[in-house]
Amino acid sequence: AEHQHARYNPLRDDWVLVSAHRVKRPWQGQLEKPPPEDVPRWDPNNPLCPGATRANGKVNPQYEGTFVFLNDFPALQPDAPEPGDSDHPLFQAAAARGVCKVMCFHPWSDLTLPLMSLAEIRAVIDAWAELAVELGASYPWVQIFENKGAMMGCSNPHPHCQVWASSFLPNEARLEDRTQRQYLSQHGVPMLLEYAEQEARRKERLVVENADWLVVVPYWATWPYQTLLLPRRHVCRLQDLHEGERDSLASIMQRLLIKYDNLFEVSFPYSMGWHGAPTGPYLEEDCGHWQLHAHYYPPLLRSATVRKFMVGYEMLAQAQRDLTPEQAAERLRSLPEVHYKQRAK
């Protein structure tokens, strides 16, 4: 807690520099603007709202729950042509095809996941699993991710996520596939299953837990309040969760996200995403080395207006953090589980 040291991340096969004393330095850098508190519940000019017209002229239905549609500006399309042969090993290109979808969590723009009911969060989880099955039938990788807040590049306050299915395994997927495969081969147990058991026993980085899930600030966390959401049993893919696990997942997500919002009493920005075993042709292979998990990467460091920047040393050498994962976990763990907007005045 007092001296700098490096920690190994076995999931990414890299290291992070922990320099806890740096959080004491005075801050005279950029201050972020807190997110707006006056988001209208429904706005006809917001392309994600029920009944609104999107940029391509399509009109959203008057949806009352989740709503999924093809991204109007997709990064991946199913019919992209082959890039052609390379004439030199330093100039390689490969085919990249896929499908990009947007999923609205709720018809109201002024809600976020921690303020939704458990039944509404459970509906989101079910929709995630349905998309994982649908797109995973043919595509090797289905990436479900949510960018929350303008600080994380989100251009629309309406509660939503994106789902990109690709004809290839992206970099992070290939890396996690390799490290988890190697760990199972060397130790005889899936890496993240053993990691969850260790963290549940040690408790020093534990944030919240229930019978089926636990959330920790990982030992190797890079972002200040980064967390890892893990099932207690061996589960390869989101669609493999049974009914009870989906209910308890809704509960633990709500508890975690309430703590995030309560930390600085602001709608907490983050990027999150699910990682599970590859799909498509991999459905016929043994993927027992994989363990389903979700990453949460929030940028805030000291307050609602001071963020962690990944620049300089981080970009040119290796990741560095300004407080220990144990300190971050203790702070999150001690926060109330009633949202600051819902406390009795």
CSV table of all heavy atoms in Angstrom, one decimal, residues 213-244:
chain,number,residue,atom,x,y,z
A,213,TRP,N,-22.6,-15.5,-7.7
A,213,TRP,CA,-21.7,-14.6,-8.3
A,213,TRP,C,-20.8,-13.8,-7.3
A,213,TRP,O,-21.2,-13.7,-6.1
A,213,TRP,CB,-22.5,-13.5,-9.1
A,213,TRP,CG,-23.3,-14.1,-10.2
A,213,TRP,CD1,-24.6,-14.5,-10.1
A,213,TRP,CD2,-23.0,-14.2,-11.6
A,213,TRP,NE1,-25.1,-14.9,-11.3
A,213,TRP,CE2,-24.1,-14.8,-12.2
A,213,TRP,CE3,-21.8,-14.0,-12.3
A,213,TRP,CZ2,-24.1,-15.1,-13.6
A,213,TRP,CZ3,-21.8,-14.3,-13.7
A,213,TRP,CH2,-22.9,-14.8,-14.3
A,214,LEU,N,-19.7,-13.3,-7.8
A,214,LEU,CA,-19.0,-12.4,-6.9
A,214,LEU,C,-18.3,-11.3,-7.8
A,214,LEU,O,-18.1,-11.5,-9.0
A,214,LEU,CB,-17.9,-13.0,-6.1
A,214,LEU,CG,-16.7,-13.7,-6.7
A,214,LEU,CD1,-15.5,-13.8,-5.7
A,214,LEU,CD2,-17.0,-15.1,-7.3
A,215,VAL,N,-18.1,-10.1,-7.3
A,215,VAL,CA,-17.5,-9.0,-8.0
A,215,VAL,C,-16.3,-8.6,-7.2
A,215,VAL,O,-16.4,-8.4,-5.9
A,215,VAL,CB,-18.4,-7.8,-8.1
A,215,VAL,CG1,-17.7,-6.6,-8.7
A,215,VAL,CG2,-19.7,-8.1,-8.9
A,216,VAL,N,-15.1,-8.5,-7.8
A,216,VAL,CA,-13.9,-8.1,-7.2
A,216,VAL,C,-13.2,-7.0,-8.0
A,216,VAL,O,-13.5,-6.9,-9.1
A,216,VAL,CB,-12.9,-9.3,-7.0
A,216,VAL,CG1,-13.5,-10.5,-6.3
A,216,VAL,CG2,-12.5,-9.8,-8.4
A,217,VAL,N,-12.4,-6.2,-7.2
A,217,VAL,CA,-11.4,-5.4,-7.9
A,217,VAL,C,-10.2,-6.4,-8.2
A,217,VAL,O,-9.6,-6.8,-7.2
A,217,VAL,CB,-11.0,-4.2,-7.1
A,217,VAL,CG1,-9.9,-3.4,-7.8
A,217,VAL,CG2,-12.2,-3.3,-6.8
A,218,PRO,N,-10.0,-6.8,-9.4
A,218,PRO,CA,-9.0,-7.8,-9.6
A,218,PRO,C,-7.6,-7.4,-9.1
A,218,PRO,O,-7.2,-6.2,-9.1
A,218,PRO,CB,-9.0,-8.0,-11.1
A,218,PRO,CG,-9.6,-6.8,-11.7
A,218,PRO,CD,-10.6,-6.3,-10.7
A,219,TYR,N,-6.9,-8.4,-8.7
A,219,TYR,CA,-5.5,-8.2,-8.1
A,219,TYR,C,-4.6,-7.4,-9.1
A,219,TYR,O,-3.8,-6.6,-8.7
A,219,TYR,CB,-4.9,-9.6,-7.9
A,219,TYR,CG,-3.4,-9.5,-7.4
A,219,TYR,CD1,-3.1,-9.3,-6.1
A,219,TYR,CD2,-2.4,-9.8,-8.3
A,219,TYR,CE1,-1.8,-9.2,-5.6
A,219,TYR,CE2,-1.1,-9.8,-7.8
A,219,TYR,CZ,-0.8,-9.5,-6.5
A,219,TYR,OH,0.5,-9.5,-6.1
A,220,TRP,N,-4.9,-7.6,-10.4
A,220,TRP,CA,-4.1,-6.9,-11.5
A,220,TRP,C,-4.8,-5.7,-12.1
A,220,TRP,O,-4.5,-5.3,-13.2
A,220,TRP,CB,-3.8,-8.0,-12.5
A,220,TRP,CG,-5.0,-8.7,-13.0
A,220,TRP,CD1,-5.9,-8.2,-13.9
A,220,TRP,CD2,-5.5,-10.0,-12.6
A,220,TRP,NE1,-6.9,-9.2,-14.1
A,220,TRP,CE2,-6.7,-10.3,-13.3
A,220,TRP,CE3,-5.0,-11.0,-11.7
A,220,TRP,CZ2,-7.4,-11.4,-13.2
A,220,TRP,CZ3,-5.7,-12.1,-11.6
A,220,TRP,CH2,-6.9,-12.4,-12.3
A,221,ALA,N,-5.8,-5.2,-11.4
A,221,ALA,CA,-6.6,-4.1,-12.0
A,221,ALA,C,-5.8,-3.0,-12.5
A,221,ALA,O,-4.8,-2.6,-11.9
A,221,ALA,CB,-7.6,-3.6,-11.0
A,222,THR,N,-6.2,-2.4,-13.7
A,222,THR,CA,-5.5,-1.3,-14.3
A,222,THR,C,-6.2,0.0,-14.0
A,222,THR,O,-5.6,1.0,-13.5
A,222,THR,CB,-5.4,-1.5,-15.8
A,222,THR,OG1,-4.7,-2.7,-16.1
A,222,THR,CG2,-4.7,-0.3,-16.5
A,223,TRP,N,-7.5,0.1,-14.2
A,223,TRP,CA,-8.3,1.3,-13.9
A,223,TRP,C,-8.6,1.4,-12.4
A,223,TRP,O,-8.6,0.4,-11.7
A,223,TRP,CB,-9.6,1.3,-14.7
A,223,TRP,CG,-9.3,1.4,-16.2
A,223,TRP,CD1,-9.2,0.4,-17.1
A,223,TRP,CD2,-9.1,2.6,-17.0
A,223,TRP,NE1,-8.9,0.9,-18.3
A,223,TRP,CE2,-8.9,2.2,-18.3
A,223,TRP,CE3,-9.1,3.9,-16.6
A,223,TRP,CZ2,-8.6,3.2,-19.3
A,223,TRP,CZ3,-8.9,4.9,-17.6
A,223,TRP,CH2,-8.7,4.5,-18.9
A,224,PRO,N,-8.7,2.6,-11.9
A,224,PRO,CA,-8.8,2.8,-10.4
A,224,PRO,C,-9.9,1.9,-9.8
A,224,PRO,O,-9.6,1.3,-8.8
A,224,PRO,CB,-9.1,4.3,-10.3
A,224,PRO,CG,-8.5,4.9,-11.5
A,224,PRO,CD,-8.7,3.9,-12.6
A,225,TYR,N,-11.1,1.9,-10.3
A,225,TYR,CA,-12.2,1.2,-9.7
A,225,TYR,C,-12.7,0.1,-10.6
A,225,TYR,O,-13.9,-0.2,-10.6
A,225,TYR,CB,-13.3,2.1,-9.3
A,225,TYR,CG,-12.9,3.0,-8.1
A,225,TYR,CD1,-12.4,4.3,-8.4
A,225,TYR,CD2,-12.8,2.6,-6.8
A,225,TYR,CE1,-12.0,5.1,-7.3
A,225,TYR,CE2,-12.4,3.4,-5.8
A,225,TYR,CZ,-11.9,4.6,-6.0
A,225,TYR,OH,-11.5,5.4,-5.0
A,226,GLN,N,-11.8,-0.5,-11.4
A,226,GLN,CA,-12.1,-1.6,-12.3
A,226,GLN,C,-12.6,-2.8,-11.5
A,226,GLN,O,-12.1,-3.0,-10.4
A,226,GLN,CB,-10.8,-2.0,-13.0
A,226,GLN,CG,-10.9,-3.2,-13.9
A,226,GLN,CD,-9.6,-3.5,-14.5
A,226,GLN,OE1,-8.7,-2.6,-14.7
A,226,GLN,NE2,-9.3,-4.8,-14.9
A,227,THR,N,-13.6,-3.5,-12.0
A,227,THR,CA,-14.1,-4.7,-11.4
A,227,THR,C,-14.2,-5.8,-12.3
A,227,THR,O,-14.3,-5.6,-13.6
A,227,THR,CB,-15.4,-4.5,-10.7
A,227,THR,OG1,-16.4,-3.9,-11.6
A,227,THR,CG2,-15.3,-3.5,-9.5
A,228,LEU,N,-14.3,-7.0,-11.8
A,228,LEU,CA,-14.5,-8.3,-12.6
A,228,LEU,C,-15.6,-9.0,-12.0
A,228,LEU,O,-15.6,-9.3,-10.8
A,228,LEU,CB,-13.2,-9.1,-12.5
A,228,LEU,CG,-13.1,-10.4,-13.3
A,228,LEU,CD1,-13.1,-10.1,-14.8
A,228,LEU,CD2,-11.8,-11.1,-13.0
A,229,LEU,N,-16.6,-9.3,-12.8
A,229,LEU,CA,-17.8,-10.1,-12.4
A,229,LEU,C,-17.7,-11.5,-12.8
A,229,LEU,O,-17.5,-11.8,-14.0
A,229,LEU,CB,-19.0,-9.4,-13.0
A,229,LEU,CG,-20.4,-10.1,-12.9
A,229,LEU,CD1,-20.8,-10.3,-11.4
A,229,LEU,CD2,-21.5,-9.3,-13.6
A,230,LEU,N,-17.7,-12.4,-11.8
A,230,LEU,CA,-17.4,-13.8,-12.0
A,230,LEU,C,-18.5,-14.8,-11.5
A,230,LEU,O,-19.0,-14.5,-10.3
A,230,LEU,CB,-16.1,-14.2,-11.3
A,230,LEU,CG,-14.9,-13.6,-11.9
A,230,LEU,CD1,-13.7,-13.7,-10.8
A,230,LEU,CD2,-14.4,-14.2,-13.2
A,231,PRO,N,-18.9,-15.8,-12.2
A,231,PRO,CA,-19.8,-16.8,-11.6
A,231,PRO,C,-19.0,-17.8,-10.7
A,231,PRO,O,-17.8,-17.9,-10.9
A,231,PRO,CB,-20.3,-17.6,-12.9
A,231,PRO,CG,-19.2,-17.4,-13.9
A,231,PRO,CD,-18.6,-16.1,-13.6
A,232,ARG,N,-19.7,-18.4,-9.8
A,232,ARG,CA,-19.0,-19.3,-8.8
A,232,ARG,C,-18.8,-20.7,-9.4
A,232,ARG,O,-17.9,-21.4,-9.0
A,232,ARG,CB,-19.8,-19.4,-7.5
A,232,ARG,CG,-19.7,-18.1,-6.7
A,232,ARG,CD,-20.4,-18.3,-5.4
A,232,ARG,NE,-20.5,-17.1,-4.6
A,232,ARG,CZ,-19.6,-16.7,-3.7
A,232,ARG,NH1,-18.5,-17.4,-3.5
A,232,ARG,NH2,-19.8,-15.6,-3.0
A,233,ARG,N,-19.7,-21.1,-10.4
A,233,ARG,CA,-19.6,-22.4,-11.0
A,233,ARG,C,-18.9,-22.2,-12.4
A,233,ARG,O,-18.8,-21.1,-12.9
A,233,ARG,CB,-20.9,-23.1,-11.1
A,233,ARG,CG,-21.8,-22.6,-12.2
A,233,ARG,CD,-23.1,-23.5,-12.3
A,233,ARG,NE,-24.0,-23.0,-13.3
A,233,ARG,CZ,-24.0,-23.4,-14.6
A,233,ARG,NH1,-23.2,-24.4,-15.0
A,233,ARG,NH2,-24.9,-22.9,-15.4
A,234,HIS,N,-18.5,-23.3,-13.0
A,234,HIS,CA,-17.9,-23.3,-14.3
A,234,HIS,C,-19.0,-23.1,-15.3
A,234,HIS,O,-19.8,-23.9,-15.6
A,234,HIS,CB,-17.2,-24.6,-14.5
A,234,HIS,CG,-16.3,-24.6,-15.8
A,234,HIS,ND1,-15.9,-25.7,-16.4
A,234,HIS,CD2,-15.8,-23.5,-16.5
A,234,HIS,CE1,-15.2,-25.4,-17.5
A,234,HIS,NE2,-15.1,-24.1,-17.6
A,235,VAL,N,-18.9,-21.9,-16.0
A,235,VAL,CA,-19.9,-21.5,-17.0
A,235,VAL,C,-19.1,-21.0,-18.2
A,235,VAL,O,-18.3,-20.1,-18.0
A,235,VAL,CB,-20.9,-20.5,-16.5
A,235,VAL,CG1,-21.9,-20.2,-17.6
A,235,VAL,CG2,-21.6,-20.9,-15.3
A,236,CYS,N,-19.3,-21.5,-19.4
A,236,CYS,CA,-18.5,-21.1,-20.5
A,236,CYS,C,-19.1,-19.8,-21.2
A,236,CYS,O,-18.4,-19.0,-21.7
A,236,CYS,CB,-18.4,-22.2,-21.6
A,236,CYS,SG,-17.3,-23.5,-21.0
A,237,ARG,N,-20.5,-19.8,-21.3
A,237,ARG,CA,-21.1,-18.7,-22.1
A,237,ARG,C,-22.3,-18.2,-21.4
A,237,ARG,O,-22.9,-18.8,-20.6
A,237,ARG,CB,-21.5,-19.3,-23.5
A,237,ARG,CG,-20.4,-19.8,-24.3
A,237,ARG,CD,-20.8,-20.3,-25.6
A,237,ARG,NE,-19.7,-20.8,-26.5
A,237,ARG,CZ,-19.2,-22.0,-26.5
A,237,ARG,NH1,-19.8,-23.0,-25.7
A,237,ARG,NH2,-18.2,-22.4,-27.3
A,238,LEU,N,-22.7,-16.9,-21.7
A,238,LEU,CA,-23.8,-16.2,-21.1
A,238,LEU,C,-25.1,-17.1,-21.2
A,238,LEU,O,-25.9,-17.1,-20.3
A,238,LEU,CB,-24.0,-14.9,-21.7
A,238,LEU,CG,-24.9,-13.9,-21.0
A,238,LEU,CD1,-24.4,-13.5,-19.6
A,238,LEU,CD2,-25.0,-12.6,-21.9
A,239,GLN,N,-25.3,-17.6,-22.4
A,239,GLN,CA,-26.5,-18.4,-22.7
A,239,GLN,C,-26.6,-19.7,-21.9
A,239,GLN,O,-27.7,-20.3,-21.8
A,239,GLN,CB,-26.7,-18.7,-24.2
A,239,GLN,CG,-25.5,-19.4,-24.8
A,239,GLN,CD,-24.5,-18.4,-25.4
A,239,GLN,OE1,-24.2,-17.4,-24.8
A,239,GLN,NE2,-24.1,-18.7,-26.7
A,240,ASP,N,-25.5,-20.1,-21.2
A,240,ASP,CA,-25.5,-21.3,-20.4
A,240,ASP,C,-26.0,-21.1,-19.0
A,240,ASP,O,-26.2,-22.1,-18.2
A,240,ASP,CB,-24.1,-21.9,-20.3
A,240,ASP,CG,-23.5,-22.3,-21.6
A,240,ASP,OD1,-24.3,-22.6,-22.6
A,240,ASP,OD2,-22.3,-22.3,-21.8
A,241,LEU,N,-26.3,-19.9,-18.6
A,241,LEU,CA,-26.8,-19.6,-17.2
A,241,LEU,C,-28.2,-20.1,-17.1
A,241,LEU,O,-29.1,-19.9,-17.9
A,241,LEU,CB,-26.8,-18.1,-17.0
A,241,LEU,CG,-25.4,-17.4,-17.0
A,241,LEU,CD1,-25.6,-15.9,-16.9
A,241,LEU,CD2,-24.5,-17.9,-15.9
A,242,HIS,N,-28.5,-20.7,-15.9
A,242,HIS,CA,-29.8,-21.2,-15.7
A,242,HIS,C,-30.7,-20.0,-15.0
A,242,HIS,O,-30.1,-18.9,-14.8
A,242,HIS,CB,-29.9,-22.4,-14.8
A,242,HIS,CG,-29.2,-22.3,-13.5
A,242,HIS,ND1,-29.6,-21.4,-12.5
A,242,HIS,CD2,-28.2,-23.1,-12.9
A,242,HIS,CE1,-28.8,-21.6,-11.4
A,242,HIS,NE2,-28.0,-22.6,-11.7
A,243,GLU,N,-32.0,-20.3,-14.9
A,243,GLU,CA,-32.9,-19.2,-14.4
A,243,GLU,C,-32.4,-18.6,-13.1
A,243,GLU,O,-32.4,-17.3,-13.0
A,243,GLU,CB,-34.3,-19.8,-14.3
A,243,GLU,CG,-35.0,-20.3,-15.5
A,243,GLU,CD,-35.3,-19.1,-16.5
A,243,GLU,OE1,-35.9,-18.2,-16.0
A,243,GLU,OE2,-34.9,-19.2,-17.7
A,244,GLY,N,-32.1,-19.3,-12.1
A,244,GLY,CA,-31.7,-18.8,-10.9
A,244,GLY,C,-30.4,-17.9,-11.0
A,244,GLY,O,-30.3,-16.9,-10.3
